[in-house]
Amino acid sequence: MRSLTPRRACLALGAALALVLSVCGLVWPPTAAAAVPEVSLTITLTAMKPALPARDGTVTLQGKVANTSAVAVDNLQAILWRSRDPLQTSESMARALTSQPDDPLGERLYQRDYQNIPSDDQRSLAPGQATTFTLTTDVANLDLPRADGVYLFGVQVRGHTADDTRDRTLGRARTFLPLVDHPPAKPLKMTSIVLLNSRPSVIRSGLVSDEHLAEEVTSRGRLSVLLDAAESEKLTFAVDPALLEELRTLKAGYQVRTAEGGTTPGTGQADAARWLDSFERVRASSDGYRLLYGSPDVAALVHDGQTAILTAAAEASRNATSTSGLPLLVLPAAGTADRETVQAAEDLQPAAIILSDTTAKGSGPLLAGPGTAPIVSFTAAAFGAGPGPEPSGTAVHVQQRMLADTWVEASTAADSSAHGRVRLVTTAVQARGDDAGVAAPWMKRSTLTELLSDTPATWDQKFRYPAVAQSAELTPGQLSSLERLRASQQTYADLLVEPGTT
């Protein structure tokens, strides 16, 4: 009889775990948007330079103005705006993020910092038309207090419609402007974890269900961009061993199942080989960890009593080629978990359990766990939006929100435990970002291994597991199918594995 080799065991387990794979890229619950006053124009910020202006320097704001109303607008003028109220605490930041777009009223810079749009000669936009603006001012013109802080800063577009010729504010946009002369003495650690995983597609050895993985490992594909980011200094990667097994299937040559039930030759053989070679280089030179094999839905399995699947996933992760020497991280779906799930994860003896700060909220990113494994709390809003009105999730808003949040955290940190941010990088857009927070003088890039060497902070150890996370778990019917498959696979293994083999 043939023995069940480690590779065959991994592939067989991978097929089972495909039923419980978490969706690649974490899914966060939607945030509620406050009601906004009626406007005729939509303003999208496209650039703010520099992100951290100096008091003796200049600041430039660029954006796009679109007439989203059903009527033409005229006499248009884009004018810089700011509030003089410094935001210096997390509470004041929270109030600003939920405030109405016209609260506070602030002040426009009428004297010099405006632009007639689209031009001095033509200042109208018909419905559906759009134009751009570029506004630059000396920071001194903002006339802000000398106190270090975060200030609301943005643009208003004034004009009128044909049925109401009184000029009024037809559109506005706001973001955060940190103005800091004296950076906090203790910098925050910024830890970025690049997740290397993907939805499974291998049906059996040499046959895949689709070409999505081949597309992700092209030179500009998602996984290639993420791998390039993981090679950067002071970044950490976490890899699903099942991804490496699937790429080896592609590298060896494969067929793709068609919608009609036939097959067609795969096209990703060369790209898979190139990606795997690059991964070996990254693994040898970068800070790295392994995930559970197949990235299973940890909470769903725990709640259904199928912790044996988790044990098998940890074992397969440890034995899989290229990951056996890497420490284990346990990352539940979307980083959400209850105490029962965390205790089951602890039984797998990981280096750390990765949870969202909406699930495990303490005074820092490194928290004492219920057992020997620490909790690493990543910032769910690391790419959070800025103050309204919409659109408030542009790259400008995200960049300025990160800078503002981290300055507030650094300037208010008091105890000696680790302070900082952990962010998960799962998309090409995130990987290509400038990581603006690290450029700030109050930020210091750190690997996960360096973070884990710090002293974990004590906290209330209350795990918040919202109803939306519970409803997203795999259903009992799906899990019962998995149990039948697992039992069949175990029987198959018992029949094939010779006594004394491993």
Side-chain angles (χ1 to χ4, degrees):
M1 269 184 207
R2 292 185 304 159
S3 64
L4 190 64
T5 66
R7 174 175 168 77
R8 290 197 186 102
C10 286
L11 286 172
L13 180 59
L17 289 174
L19 293 175
V20 292
L21 188 77
S22 303
V23 175
C24 292
L26 302 181
V27 179
W28 315 120
T31 55
V36 296
E38 181 182 353
V39 295
S40 300
L41 301 177
T42 298
I43 302 176
T44 304
L45 298 181
T46 56
M48 178 171 162
K49 302 175 183 178
L52 291 172
R55 289 187 184 271
D56 59 355
T58 63
V59 59
T60 297
L61 199 61
Q62 295 176 314
K64 175 182 177 182
V65 181
N67 184 356
T68 52
S69 70
V71 298
V73 288
D74 194 18
N75 204 39
L76 296 177
Q77 191 174 72
I79 312 167
L80 285 177
W81 170 95
R82 85 295 197 201
S83 167
R84 288 194 177 99
D85 300 327
L87 308 174
Q88 298 172 316
T89 65
S90 57
E91 292 78 13
S92 63
M93 283 288 295
R95 287 194 298 270
L97 286 166
T98 57
S99 65
Q100 292 292 323
D102 57 354
D103 179 23
L105 288 176
E107 296 173 273
R108 293 182 289 271
L109 277 67
Y110 270 120
Q111 298 300 318
R112 65 186 79 186
D113 303 308
Y114 65 88
Q115 179 183 344
N116 295 328
I117 56 174
S119 68
D120 289 339
D121 299 327
Q122 205 289 98
R123 298 174 60 183
S124 301
L125 286 179
Q129 283 189 324
T131 188
T132 60
F133 65 85
T134 298
L135 294 167
T136 300
T137 190
D138 292 335
V139 174
N141 292 338
L142 301 178
D143 193 23
L144 297 174
R146 298 302 303 177
D148 284 355
V150 176
Y151 295 87
L152 285 168
F153 174 64
V155 62
Q156 293 185 2
V157 175
R158 302 274 291 177
H160 61 245
T161 60
D163 58 352
D164 184 355
T165 58
R166 296 172 300 174
D167 279 347
R168 58 189 177 92
T169 301
L170 300 175
R172 65 188 84 212
R174 305 182 301 170
T175 188
F176 291 124
L177 187 157
L179 200 56
V180 178
D181 292 326
H182 308 288
K186 184 178 180 180
L188 298 183
K189 289 186 175 181
M190 169 63 79
T191 303
S192 297
I193 305 174
V194 180
L195 295 185
L196 302 174
N197 60 359
S198 186
R199 173 173 57 83
S201 60
V202 173
I203 300 173
R204 61 175 183 269
S205 183
L207 180 65
V208 301
S209 60
D210 58 49
E211 284 275 55
H212 85 271
L213 185 54
E215 295 170 358
E216 289 189 312
V217 294
T218 59
S219 60
R220 296 184 179 181
R222 182 184 71 92
L223 285 172
S224 291
V225 175
L226 289 175
L227 190 61
D228 288 343
E231 197 169 9
S232 302
E233 183 182 3
K234 293 292 187 179
L235 262 68
T236 295
F237 73 84
V239 62
D240 182 347
L243 169 66
L244 304 179
E245 292 292 337
E246 294 217 351
L247 286 172
R248 292 189 183 100
T249 293
L250 269 60
K251 176 182 177 181
Y254 65 101
Q255 298 286 313
V256 182
R257 176 66 56 83
T258 64
E260 296 76 22
T263 61
T264 185
T267 61
Q269 187 172 357
D271 285 328
R274 175 191 52 78
W275 196 96
L276 286 169
D277 288 343
S278 298
F279 173 77
E280 289 302 317
R281 183 182 67 249
V282 171
R283 184 185 66 85
S285 61
S286 302
D287 189 54
Y289 291 78
R290 58 185 166 90
L291 300 170
L292 291 174
Y293 193 99
S295 299
D297 188 337
V298 179
L301 289 170
V302 170
H303 296 156
D304 199 57
Q306 296 198 46
T307 55
I309 294 292
L310 295 180
T311 302
E315 183 68 17
S317 173
R318 182 165 50 251
N319 294 334
T321 307
S322 299
T323 60
S324 58
L326 298 177
L328 174 67
L329 295 180
V330 176
L331 172 61
T336 57
D338 55 12
R339 179 171 291 276
E340 182 184 10
T341 301
V342 171
Q343 289 174 338
E346 171 75 30
D347 292 341
L348 303 177
Q349 299 181 327
I353 301 169
I354 312 296
L355 298 178
S356 162
D357 61 356
T358 57
T359 284
K361 186 67 173 178
S363 60
L366 186 64
L367 306 175
T372 58
I375 303 294
V376 173
S377 177
F378 68 86
T379 307
F383 298 94
E390 297 296 336
S392 61
T394 69
V396 174
H397 286 96
V398 172
Q399 169 183 272
Q400 300 305 120
R401 166 82 180 273
M402 171 69 78
L403 290 168
D405 280 348
T406 53
W407 177 80
V408 169
E409 184 176 349
S411 61
T412 56
D415 59 52
S416 60
S417 59
H419 287 275
R421 292 294 179 95
V422 173
R423 65 170 192 149
L424 300 188
V425 182
T426 62
T427 70
V429 172
Q430 294 169 351
R432 291 190 183 104
D434 293 334
D435 201 5
V438 177
W442 54 84
M443 297 298 296
K444 178 183 178 182
R445 194 188 292 274
S446 168
T447 65
L448 178 59
T449 297
E450 290 172 337
L451 177 66
L452 292 177
S453 68
D454 288 336
T455 302
T458 57
W459 58 300
D460 59 13
Q461 294 204 3
K462 293 180 179 178
F463 299 96
R464 296 156 183 85
Y465 194 62
V468 65
Q470 198 165 8
S471 64
E473 290 182 8
L474 294 172
T475 66
Q478 291 169 318
L479 291 170
S480 64
S481 298
L482 172 65
E483 175 58 26
R484 291 193 298 272
L485 181 59
R486 188 197 67 80
S488 298
Q489 192 260 340
Q490 182 61 53
T491 301
Y492 177 71
D494 290 343
L495 289 171
L496 291 184
V497 176
E498 297 176 0
T501 62
T502 58

